[in-house]
Amino acid sequence: EKAFVVGYVGRLAEEKNLPFLMRAVASFLKKEKNALFLVVGSGPLEEAISLHFTELKLEKQLRFAGEMKGKKLIEAYQAIDVFAFSSRSETQGMVLNEAMAAGTPVVAVDAPGVRDIVSDEINGRLLPGENEEEFSKALNWVFDRPPSERKKLIEGAKETAKKYSVERSATKAL
């Protein structure tokens, strides 16, 4: 209950740049023993992720939740303290918006689609490139925010999600 939860939701596949993400998150978990990595989804890299965390003796800080939909998925997003994302190929960034709708700040690598949603130090951290140490530091940055500053990140995430709501997007399209 009191663990700091780093989360990922999506397909567990190479195109999501998960080898980078698992190394960066593992680096953070080594420093923060009261943190967990919650992985929601399935795919061909599940075994590789599990093996990596086991080799680093971090398997107790890794949780696979499998695929989720509806209320269970919403609950998973709400359980996450920071959403970690490293995909280079997002066109819409739907999982980012879903995380933010739940009030979850995001740490992400700059990429098309991602930069449209993540505003550095407003609703999370947007990193200019793939650097495991910098990604780990960005997770730590969110972890270290005092409650008042974390609340601002949560509010920033929710405000961003409103910009991309179905209603607002439909009105823009019309």
Side-chain angles (χ1 to χ4, degrees):
E1 268 185 37
K2 298 193 188 252
F4 181 84
V5 180
V6 177
Y8 169 82
V9 175
R11 182 163 157 67
L12 307 182
E14 199 72 42
E15 70 269 12
K16 299 296 184 181
N17 198 19
L18 291 180
F20 166 82
L21 187 67
M22 70 181 184
R23 291 189 304 269
V25 171
S27 178
F28 169 74
L29 294 179
K30 282 182 197 174
K31 292 178 254 170
E32 300 301 336
K33 299 300 180 197
N34 194 33
L36 298 172
F37 186 32
L38 175 64
V39 179
V40 178
S42 64
L45 291 183
E46 185 171 341
E47 189 176 323
I49 295 167
S50 182
L51 182 62
H52 181 73
F53 281 78
T54 299
E55 287 172 351
L56 296 174
K57 298 186 180 2
L58 295 170
E59 66 274 7
K60 290 182 180 175
Q61 291 175 268
L62 174 66
R63 302 286 192 280
F64 285 104
E67 293 183 33
M68 295 182 154
K69 292 181 182 179
K71 188 175 186 216
K72 289 285 186 194
L73 180 58
I74 292 168
E75 290 171 354
Y77 278 120
Q78 291 171 336
I80 296 169
D81 293 298
V82 63
F83 189 79
F85 195 73
S86 61
S87 177
R88 300 180 212 108
S89 61
E90 289 308 299
T91 55
Q92 298 175 11
M94 289 175 54
V95 293
L96 300 173
N97 198 48
E98 290 171 355
M100 289 186 189
T104 305
V106 173
V107 171
V109 174
D110 186 18
V114 176
R115 72 179 64 106
D116 297 326
I117 296 173
V118 181
S119 298
D120 196 41
E121 297 189 17
I122 303 296
N123 56 21
R125 295 299 314 270
L126 182 64
L127 303 173
E130 287 180 40
N131 180 308
E132 292 168 24
E133 183 178 340
E134 291 303 313
F135 199 99
S136 177
K137 284 181 182 177
L139 293 172
N140 212 84
W141 182 88
V142 175
F143 177 81
D144 284 338
R145 295 299 92 208
S148 63
E149 288 184 35
R150 198 169 304 168
K151 185 176 181 189
K152 286 180 186 176
L153 287 173
I154 290 167
E155 290 169 2
K158 287 180 178 180
E159 284 301 312
T160 300
K162 286 179 188 175
K163 291 179 189 176
Y164 296 96
S165 70
V166 172
E167 296 81 11
R168 196 159 181 183
S169 296
T171 300
K172 275 186 177 180
L174 292 172

